[in-house]
Amino acid sequence: MPIDQFIIFFLLLLTGFFCKRFGVLTDPAVNSLNMFIINIAYPCLILGRTTGMDMDAQIFSSFMLALFINLGILLLFGVYARLCFRGKRFDGEDRSAMEFASISSNNGFMGFPIALTFFGDLGLLYMIACNIALNAMFFTYGILLLKRGRGIPGEPFGKKLRDFAKMIAHPKLSAAIVGIILCYNGIRLPEIAESYLSIVGEVTTPLVMVSIGTMLAGQFGLSSFKRRPVMVPALNKLFVVPAIAALIVWFLPLDPLVKTIIIISNALPVAAVVPILCEQYGRDKGLAGESLVITTLVSMVTIPLAVWLLGMAWG
């Protein structure tokens, strides 16, 4: 395992952390940076990498398998989380926020650079499949979960259709769809377009790590590690969920790289969008935010360990 890459990731995180702490990157600057990453850098990275690949029927089949298997795993996690947070231990707590934090995964914002760095273009392609499954779960089961018990009326079918169209039209997802279509049909972009996409896409990984570092400079205390509503979702997310994913895919007749990416995808920390959606639907944003920060911190150890173990298992 190229441990030096993780050291570089850690140094980039520290760069973001100290830039935020000393005011080099303010909140508006970080928000603008994230907008650039999500709407410009990621689409360029995805489109540039996918269109440059040679995709045959086997790779396309593996992509679709990764998508649907991960979607099924996420739905299974939803059932597990529902059972996990039942009972008197969590009376009075925001169970929906805890369930949502337990089953979400930062397999886009953080997963893409990790997959590309350690598993190459093909690893990125399969991580894109896992991210599409996650987005589908977010805006179906996830929204229902956050509305649960709040008496929020059901949305008209037309609004649901518009929301789905917005999700498909998002630059990151639409770039993935266009890139896969072009790649599958062997259509290459003009050389100048490929060069532009490559140059912009190359800045994605360092910018993402710096951005995550700024998030770690947020306000939370050591008392968060003693709070059951924070730590149970965090432990589920980093240990139980990837273990379940590994048990499911381990014996399936899949490409070892597909298995690896599915497990890594589900071993990543809580997704950055979770606190945002919790706030939008009146759930405990603070609880979700603390789980996000703690899982991101601890993942600096668990993700390298997972990459190393899976590398030992399948080479």
Side-chain angles (χ1 to χ4, degrees), residues 17 26 39 62 64 78 96-97 100 122 125 135 140 147 152 214 238 274 300 303:
F17 178 88
T26 61
N39 293 302
S62 294
M64 297 305 296
S96 290
F100 199 32
L122 201 54
L125 182 70
N135 277 280
T140 52
K147 287 181 175 181
I152 301 175
T214 65
L238 292 178
V274 170
M300 294 301 102
I303 293 300

Side-chain angles (χ1 to χ4, degrees), residues 5-272:
Q5 291 294 334
F6 276 109
I7 294 174
I8 292 171
F9 278 6
F10 182 71
L11 292 174
L12 288 167
L13 288 171
L14 285 181
T15 301
F17 178 88
F18 287 115
C19 282
K20 184 66 162 54
R21 275 295 171 93
F22 291 104
V24 177
L25 288 173
T26 61
D27 287 335
V30 173
N31 290 337
S32 296
L33 176 64
N34 289 339
M35 290 291 288
F36 173 79
I37 292 170
I38 293 170
N39 293 302
I40 304 295
Y42 263 145
C44 287
L45 172 70
I46 293 168
L47 190 58
R49 294 288 181 167
T50 52
T51 55
M53 291 178 57
D54 295 322
M55 180 182 287
D56 55 23
Q58 182 178 355
I59 293 176
F60 181 75
S61 175
S62 294
F63 175 88
M64 297 305 296
L65 283 171
L67 195 162
F68 286 108
I69 289 172
N70 198 55
L71 183 59
I73 289 173
L74 289 169
L75 294 174
L76 178 63
F77 290 160
V79 176
Y80 164 77
R82 183 68 185 273
L83 296 174
C84 180
F85 294 104
R86 295 180 68 179
K88 295 181 179 180
R89 291 189 307 161
F90 299 101
D91 281 347
E93 305 291 351
D94 195 335
R95 297 181 185 180
S96 290
M98 290 187 286
E99 290 180 37
F100 199 32
S102 293
I103 64 178
S104 71
S105 184
N106 201 351
N107 64 12
F109 201 72
M110 191 172 181
F112 288 175
I114 287 176
L116 181 62
T117 301
F118 297 101
F119 304 103
D121 289 350
L122 201 54
L124 173 64
L125 182 70
Y126 296 147
M127 188 64 80
I128 290 170
C130 292
N131 182 250
I132 293 172
L134 182 72
N135 277 280
M137 188 277 293
F138 269 163
F139 294 98
T140 52
Y141 175 77
I143 300 302
L144 291 174
L145 177 61
L146 294 177
K147 287 181 175 181
R148 188 180 69 199
R150 288 299 170 92
I152 301 175
E155 296 174 342
F157 178 76
K159 186 178 186 306
K160 292 180 180 179
L161 194 61
R162 288 193 297 272
D163 289 343
F164 180 77
K166 287 180 182 178
M167 182 182 76
I168 296 296
H170 189 280
K172 186 175 69 173
L173 191 54
S174 58
I177 294 171
V178 171
I180 290 165
I181 291 172
L182 294 177
C183 178
Y184 186 73
N185 289 281
I187 301 172
R188 300 296 296 267
L189 296 173
E191 185 175 349
I192 190 169
E194 289 185 349
S195 297
Y196 169 78
L197 294 172
S198 175
I199 290 170
V200 178
E202 284 176 359
V203 307
T204 305
T205 296
L207 289 182
V208 167
M209 293 299 121
V210 168
S211 176
I212 293 173
T214 65
M215 176 194 68
L216 299 181
Q219 298 299 318
F220 81 104
L222 293 177
S223 60
S224 298
F225 288 91
K226 300 177 182 179
R227 292 187 59 202
R228 178 181 290 165
V230 174
M231 290 308 299
V232 173
L235 293 173
N236 270 313
K237 183 69 211 67
L238 292 178
F239 298 101
V240 180
V241 162
I244 294 173
L247 287 173
I248 292 172
V249 303
W250 195 270
F251 299 105
L252 292 179
L254 296 171
D255 182 339
L257 180 58
V258 174
K259 296 182 183 182
T260 298
I261 294 298
I262 290 175
I263 296 169
I264 294 294
S265 169
N266 290 288
L268 291 164
V270 174

